Amino acid sequence: MIEPIGDKTVNEGELLSFAVKVSDADGDKLILSAEGLPSGSKFENSFFSWVPVISQAGDYQISFTVSDGVVKVIQKVAIKVIAKPKPANFEFKVSTSNVDMNAKPKIATNKNGDFVVVYTGNDADYLGIFGQRYDANGKPLGSEFQINTTTKGGQDYPSISMNADGKFVIVWWSYDLQEIQGQMYGANGLSIGAEFKVNISNGKTVAAPDVAMRNDGGFVVSYNYDDDVFARVFDSNGVPLNLSFQVDGNSGVPERSSVAVDFVG
């Protein structure tokens, strides 16, 4: 027979150990074995030991079997491994599907601490814009998603802004088309409308977009247009409220545009 062991609970990174005690009324020779041992655990000389590592949180069941060659007795032991809390500053990987290149990340957060990271990665044509949503604890919300629907040539230099409720907008540079593109999203991560073009005129070099969203969901986009800086204002539905207008005063060649708004706008 096997003396009762009972179920066990252990935290990741801590030692769990216990002896499996067996006996036979007739004094017969006993053979003791175990099945379902977790990775990294040991069962030697009737003694079980295990230090579960990070990522081994979960439920496990081990079957201990003792036999005298005629009679077999099995006792099952359930082990629950509790995840070790992650520190507030733990590092984590954002991109999942892009293996060749990931660059130029930008981040935006809402009033609850939920956030979205956007970045440049490889798409079917060349470069694309990708994103990943997270809750305030750094847990992914859904999977990595591609933002650009226009894939001709390269899409680069993303910028993102989010309001307090979690609605967000992303803009980027489509440099083969020489256009600034954008896409709006709701707080649930679903796209709002289609990809849209920000700049009106073509024929000159556009680059370096930036975006800032008001609390009502309206937003302003700035960008370099040849040797000048232009901007355009959109309402909460993504409808432009004006034509693009020049911001700088021709005081030299601007390096990169940047824009900011308060909650009111």
Side-chain angles (χ1 to χ4, degrees), residues 133 141-142 165-168 185-192:
R133 299 167 56 235
L141 298 173
D165 294 328
K167 183 178 182 180
F168 59 100
Y185 288 86
N188 58 4
L190 298 179
S191 58
I192 299 175

Side-chain angles (χ1 to χ4, degrees), residues 18-254:
F18 56 85
V20 180
K21 299 179 181 179
V22 299
S23 60
D24 184 85
D26 300 326
D28 294 331
K29 181 179 179 180
L30 299 177
I31 299 175
L32 179 62
S33 61
E35 293 183 357
L37 292 172
S39 175
S41 65
K42 294 181 179 180
F43 183 59
E44 299 174 340
N45 300 319
S46 302
F47 194 80
F48 173 86
S49 64
W50 183 33
V51 179
V53 299
I54 302 298
S55 79
Q56 281 191 304
D59 296 312
Y60 300 82
Q61 183 172 270
I62 305 174
S63 295
F64 294 101
T65 302
V66 63
S67 173
D68 61 2
V70 178
V71 179
K72 181 185 294 184
V73 176
I74 299 175
Q75 184 172 157
K76 295 182 178 181
V77 176
I79 300 176
K80 184 177 185 64
V81 179
I82 299 175
K84 184 177 181 180
K86 295 179 179 179
N89 61 345
F90 70 97
E91 181 182 85
F92 58 93
K93 183 179 179 182
V94 175
S95 60
T96 55
S97 62
N98 288 287
V99 296
D100 294 329
M101 190 199 82
N102 300 284
K104 306 178 182 75
K106 296 290 183 179
I107 189 170
T109 184
N110 66 14
K111 63 183 178 182
N112 299 320
D114 302 334
F115 59 98
V116 180
V117 183
V118 296
Y119 45 93
T120 300
N122 292 108
D123 67 8
D125 187 74
Y126 178 41
L127 295 180
I129 308 300
F130 295 83
Q132 176 65 62
R133 299 167 56 235
Y134 293 89
D135 68 14
N137 296 314
K139 180 180 179 181
L141 298 173
S143 57
E144 179 184 71
F145 58 98
Q146 184 166 358
I147 296 156
N148 60 296
T149 52
T150 299
T151 57
K152 179 181 178 181
Q155 322 299 318
D156 207 352
Y157 290 97
S159 181
I160 182 173
S161 186
M162 179 184 290
N163 70 2
D165 294 328
K167 183 178 182 180
F168 59 100
V169 61
I170 302 158
V171 296
W172 64 93
W173 176 34
S174 182
Y175 57 79
D176 281 329
L177 300 177
Q178 282 305 310
E179 294 178 354
I180 304 300
Q181 302 284 352
Q183 178 65 62
M184 296 173 60
Y185 288 86
N188 58 4
L190 298 179
S191 58
I192 299 175
E195 179 182 293
F196 59 90
K197 178 182 174 182
V198 175
N199 59 301
I200 298 174
S201 302
N202 285 85
K204 292 186 178 181
T205 300
V206 296
D210 195 22
V211 63
M213 177 174 275
R214 302 191 305 266
N215 217 26
D216 65 0
F219 55 94
V220 182
V221 182
S222 68
Y223 57 94
N224 287 26
Y225 183 66
D226 203 18
D227 291 337
D228 299 305
V229 174
F230 278 70
R232 199 174 190 189
V233 182
F234 295 79
D235 69 13
S236 60
N237 296 312
V239 177
L241 297 179
N242 59 355
L243 300 176
S244 299
F245 59 91
Q246 186 172 344
V247 177
D248 67 320
N250 294 310
S251 57
V253 179

